Amino acid sequence: MALQKELWSPVISENLFRGIEAIRMVATDDAIYREAKTIHLPSAGTAPSVTVGNTSYPVSIVERTDQEVTYDLTNFEIGPVRVGWADALQLSYDKLNSVVNDFMGNLSERIAAKLTLDMYHYTAGAYVTTTGADVAGHATGATGNRKSLIGANVRSAAELMTKQKVAITDRYLLLDYAMFWQLVGDLSYGTYRADVAINAAGFNQLTMPLYGFTVIEMPFIGYATSAGVVRAYGNAGGTTDVAFGLAVQKQCASYAFTDLQMFDGEGRPEYFGDLLSASIYGGAKYRRYDKKGVIPIIQGS
C-alpha cells in the first residue's frame, strides 16, 4: 500500500474577537489624559433661574455649585504565552503571528466589555425597560422569560434623550447579539425595513438610523440584577438577572486607553523558545454628573 502525502494549510483558523472599535465610534476620546491614573471631568452645576418682569432689586445672589465625574484607568494584561523554537520548523503556519492576533483581539474584546459596564448606570427616570413578547433570558445564570426589545422601546429612549436636551446628532444604540436580533425581528414586520450590514469596524449595524440612533450589535454589553445592580464581567449571575443595551450620545460618554505594549522574551533558554505578553491601560464612564445622554435599555420581566 502506498503511503499518502499529508498536507497542512499554511493558514490557521484564528480565534474570533471583536471589541473596542465600537467604543471609539460612540464615545468621546480622552486619550490626551491617558497618562493619569484617574481622569476628572468637570460637570456644570444647576444654572441660575431666569426672572421675568422683576421689579425688586437688588436680586438675590447665588453661586453655581459644579460637580465632577471621575474614572480610573486600569490595566488589562494577557500572557505570557510560550512559542517553542520547534514551532517555527514544524508548523506550516506562522504561530507567532497567530498568538499576536490573539493578544490584539482578546484584549480588544475584554476592554470593550469593561467599558460598556463602566458606562452603565441605574438612575430613576433615566432608563427604559423592554416591553416586547416573552423570550428566554440570556444573561448568565438567568432562567425564565424576559421581555424582548422592540422598536417602541427605542423610540422611548429617543424621546427621553431629547427630553434631557441632548444633541440629536451622534446618537448610538449598542446592543448584544440577542437584543439586536430581537429588535430586527420586531422591525422586519413593520413598515421600517430592517436591513443589516457590516460597518467599517466589522460589526452588524442597521443600515438606516432608527429614531435617530445608529444601532450596532456587539458580542457583550452587560448584565444586571433585577434590582438594576450591574454584574461584573464573568460573574456567575443569578436566575433573575437581566441584560441591557446602552443608548449613548457621543459627547455624553468618555473613554481613554493607552497604546498596546508588547513584551517579547526572545530565545529564553529555560523555555526553549520565546515568551510573549501584552498590556494596555484603559477606562470609560458616562461624561456628565447628571448622567444625561447615556440611557440603559433594560430587559423587563
Side-chain angles (χ1 to χ4, degrees), residues 42-48 63-68 288-290 292:
S43 186
T46 303
E63 184 174 337
R64 193 181 76 180
T65 301
D66 296 337
Q67 297 94 11
E68 67 171 358
R288 298 178 53 91
Y289 185 81
D290 57 18
K292 290 180 179 178

Side-chain angles (χ1 to χ4, degrees), residues 156-185:
S156 295
E159 180 183 359
L160 178 54
M161 196 171 280
T162 300
K163 180 181 178 181
Q164 294 174 344
K165 302 179 183 178
V166 172
I168 62 174
T169 57
D170 293 326
R171 292 184 179 187
Y172 296 88
L173 177 58
L174 299 178
L175 300 172
D176 67 24
Y177 69 97
M179 295 181 75
F180 180 86
W181 290 106
Q182 289 166 18
L183 179 62
V184 170

Side-chain angles (χ1 to χ4, degrees), residues 96 148 158 174 201 235 260:
L96 181 64
S148 63
L174 299 178
N235 187 283
L260 179 71

Side-chain angles (χ1 to χ4, degrees), residues 130 132-149 176-179 182 223 239 241-243 299-301:
T130 62
D134 284 350
V135 292
H138 66 279
T140 303
T143 60
N145 291 331
R146 305 291 182 269
K147 297 299 182 182
S148 63
L149 174 63
D176 67 24
Y177 69 97
M179 295 181 75
Q182 289 166 18
Y223 306 140
T239 58
D241 279 7
V242 294
Q299 285 183 324
S301 301

Side-chain angles (χ1 to χ4, degrees), residues 1-279:
M1 178 179 177
L3 296 177
Q4 303 296 313
K5 181 187 293 186
E6 294 185 2
L7 296 176
W8 284 77
S9 168
V11 178
I12 184 174
S13 296
E14 299 285 1
N15 289 323
L16 302 177
F17 306 100
R18 299 161 65 193
I20 56 178
E21 297 86 353
I23 304 299
R24 292 181 186 274
M25 294 173 61
V26 308
T28 298
D29 188 359
D30 289 334
I32 58 173
Y33 311 117
R34 65 188 182 183
E35 294 181 1
K37 173 176 172 37
T38 302
I39 294 177
H40 297 256
L41 302 172
S43 186
T46 303
S49 58
V50 176
T51 60
V52 178
N54 181 59
T55 59
S56 176
Y57 299 95
V59 176
S60 296
I61 299 172
V62 298
E63 184 174 337
R64 193 181 76 180
T65 301
D66 296 337
Q67 297 94 11
E68 67 171 358
V69 173
T70 65
Y71 66 96
D72 291 335
L73 305 189
T74 190
N75 55 313
F76 300 82
E77 297 170 344
I78 190 169
V81 172
R82 173 185 174 272
V83 180
W85 74 276
D87 288 342
L89 300 175
Q90 298 173 349
L91 297 179
S92 64
Y93 57 88
D94 188 340
K95 185 169 183 177
L96 181 64
N97 186 64
S98 179
V99 171
V100 170
N101 288 339
D102 266 5
F103 281 7
M104 298 291 285
N106 205 4
L107 277 171
S108 176
E109 186 171 304
R110 182 62 184 85
I111 291 169
K114 176 72 164 61
L115 301 191
T116 54
L117 291 173
D118 288 347
M119 290 180 188
Y120 171 83
H121 64 86
Y122 188 70
T123 305
Y127 64 87
V128 170
T129 303
T130 62
T131 59
D134 284 350
V135 292
H138 66 279
T140 303
T143 60
N145 291 331
R146 305 291 182 269
K147 297 299 182 182
S148 63
L149 174 63
I150 58 176
N153 306 142
V154 180
R155 184 177 65 230
S156 295
E159 180 183 359
L160 178 54
M161 196 171 280
T162 300
K163 180 181 178 181
Q164 294 174 344
K165 302 179 183 178
V166 172
I168 62 174
T169 57
D170 293 326
R171 292 184 179 187
Y172 296 88
L173 177 58
L174 299 178
L175 300 172
D176 67 24
Y177 69 97
M179 295 181 75
F180 180 86
W181 290 106
Q182 289 166 18
L183 179 62
V184 170
D186 176 62
L187 299 174
S188 296
Y189 296 101
T191 56
Y192 181 95
R193 183 166 178 79
D195 286 336
V196 178
I198 306 297
N199 64 21
F203 296 87
N204 280 329
Q205 176 180 311
L206 294 187
T207 55
M208 296 285 290
L210 179 63
Y211 301 115
F213 292 108
T214 298
V215 183
I216 302 172
E217 178 206 19
M218 295 179 66
F220 175 87
I221 303 298
Y223 306 140
T225 69
S226 57
V229 179
V230 69
R231 291 287 195 187
Y233 184 81
N235 187 283
T239 58
T240 60
D241 279 7
V242 294
F244 62 83
L246 289 175
V248 179
Q249 202 281 332
K250 190 178 180 86
Q251 280 72 51
C252 296
S254 285
Y255 73 92
F257 45 85
T258 65
D259 295 330
L260 179 71
Q261 180 65 51
M262 295 286 297
F263 302 95
D264 178 13
E266 186 176 0
R268 293 287 296 272
E270 70 272 38
Y271 292 105
F272 296 90
D274 302 333
L275 294 181
L276 290 176
S277 61
S279 181

